[in-house]
Amino acid sequence: MLGALVSVLSAICFSTSDILVRRGVVRAPVSHAAFVTVILGVPLFAVAALVSGQLFRAGDLSSSSYGLLAGAGLVHYVLGRYFNYAAISAIGAARAGPVQALSLPYSVLIALLFLDEEVTAAMVAGIALMLVGPALMVERQPSRPVAAAVAAIAPTSPPQPSAAVSALSGLAVGAHAVRLRQREGYLFAMASAMSYGSSPVLIRAALEGESGLSVLGGLVSYVAAAALLIASLLVPARRELLAALEPQSVRIFFGAGFFVFMAQMLRFIALSLSSVAVVTTLLRFGSVSTLALSWAFNRRIEVLNGRVVLGVLISIAGAVLMVA
């Protein structure tokens, strides 16, 4: 029961992070979002591990556990997070979420093969629904512009007072229209699903029997991912890209980084308390909160319609079947 509650809280934090990322990548490259959120996670997890006392129990983890956690960090925080943010940039958070739900059947399949967890007929039916949901969201005209004012969120130059007033009132339409890049977005979302679906199995294998070291496990994974990203700065092009990072984008990505840190910490705790199938399924309920938060805060830069709502609901129904 506790593992289920922690999983739901984690899902809500993931949703909050994703809608912040959606706002940030309107004006900044996806790599900026991935870099800032991963690097920020290291000190946050270090403080959490220190406060919880787990930092002083580093010797309790075996070398194989460290290897598994480091692998989980590279797969999840480097590959998965980049693909996730790229998908959000291309098709929006509300559409990317149900596609990434495919990480659930992938995780269950891996858990079946390596952790001896069971798969039932209900799970098979759930997987079918989770495949149908994202398919319903594909638009026939992917280049249709959204009637939204992106320039109100990410102006290319300081607006005049009258324009600012119009933008705040929601009446102004910016010079740049958001367009769905469906092929790119859905491919990135599926790649993200594969990455996100692999990491829970690695975490579960590393922390099984060590439920009291979940925060330390998160720190190890973040350190491994951050080390790779910092090492990438040896490439001149990467340094030039980060040099262009704007203060406003940094603030948005810091907010996204904090919420994704909370989500990941809760996720590690949940995986140390419950099975991979239960945790990954309950995390899918984040699609509902993502849809609600996208409508509340990002509806001017998202394409939200009945197809998206139906796709999310069908995907959630599939997730419920998988734990029925």
Side-chain angles (χ1 to χ4, degrees):
M1 181 62 182
L2 180 59
L5 176 61
V6 173
S7 298
V8 172
L9 292 175
S10 175
I12 295 172
C13 288
F14 274 125
S15 297
T16 305
S17 176
D18 283 349
I19 66 164
L20 286 172
V21 167
R22 178 61 176 134
R23 295 182 73 86
V25 295
V26 168
R27 62 180 299 149
V30 170
S31 57
H32 284 182
F35 190 91
V36 171
T37 56
V38 170
I39 298 301
L40 180 62
V42 174
L44 290 175
F45 258 103
V47 171
L50 180 63
V51 171
S52 65
Q54 294 183 29
L55 191 61
F56 305 105
R57 298 178 56 193
D60 292 354
L61 289 176
S62 65
S63 57
S64 61
S65 293
Y66 275 106
L68 289 169
L69 290 169
L74 297 178
V75 170
H76 194 103
Y77 303 130
V78 177
L79 296 179
R81 186 165 295 181
Y82 177 84
F83 291 144
N84 177 31
Y85 291 171
I88 290 173
S89 176
I91 57 177
R95 291 172 180 269
V99 181
Q100 291 168 355
L102 298 177
S103 64
L104 174 56
Y106 180 75
S107 291
V108 171
L109 175 62
I110 298 298
L112 171 69
L113 295 176
F114 297 102
L115 300 181
D116 297 323
E117 296 188 10
E118 298 181 356
V119 174
T120 65
M123 287 184 175
V124 175
I127 290 172
L129 289 177
M130 295 174 75
L131 291 171
V132 170
L136 287 175
M137 295 187 298
V138 177
E139 297 284 344
R140 293 182 180 180
Q141 295 178 340
S143 62
R144 179 176 59 84
V146 180
V150 176
I153 295 174
T156 54
S157 60
Q160 298 299 319
S162 58
V165 171
S166 298
L168 289 173
S169 65
L171 299 176
V173 176
H176 304 284
V178 179
R179 296 176 182 272
L180 291 176
R181 304 190 307 276
Q182 290 195 106
R183 180 178 299 178
E184 172 189 341
Y186 287 119
L187 283 175
F188 276 127
M190 286 188 287
S192 174
M194 297 290 285
S195 300
Y196 283 169
S198 300
S199 62
V201 180
L202 297 174
I203 296 168
R204 180 68 174 170
L207 298 180
E208 192 169 18
E210 296 289 353
S211 60
L213 296 177
S214 53
V215 177
L216 176 62
L219 174 61
V220 173
S221 292
Y222 259 102
V223 167
L228 180 61
L229 290 180
I230 291 173
S232 71
L233 295 179
L234 294 174
V235 179
R238 286 283 293 169
R239 293 197 299 270
E240 293 173 3
L241 182 65
L242 287 177
L245 190 59
E246 299 177 353
Q248 182 177 346
S249 298
V250 170
R251 289 193 294 271
I252 293 174
F253 294 145
F254 259 65
F258 173 77
F259 279 105
V260 81
F261 152 72
M262 291 297 300
Q264 292 294 352
M265 185 172 66
L266 293 170
R267 172 173 168 266
F268 271 85
I269 293 172
L271 285 168
S272 69
L273 296 172
S274 301
S275 70
V276 169
V278 170
V279 173
T280 53
T281 299
L282 290 174
L283 286 176
R284 289 303 100 213
F285 282 91
S287 294
V288 174
S289 56
T290 298
L291 182 60
L293 291 171
S294 294
W295 183 87
F297 299 104
N298 286 349
R299 60 180 177 271
R300 298 173 68 194
I301 54 172
E302 291 267 10
V303 182
L304 302 175
N305 52 34
R307 298 170 68 94
V308 176
V309 174
L310 183 59
V312 168
L313 293 179
I314 290 176
S315 179
I316 293 297
V320 171
L321 275 178
M322 292 197 66
V323 291

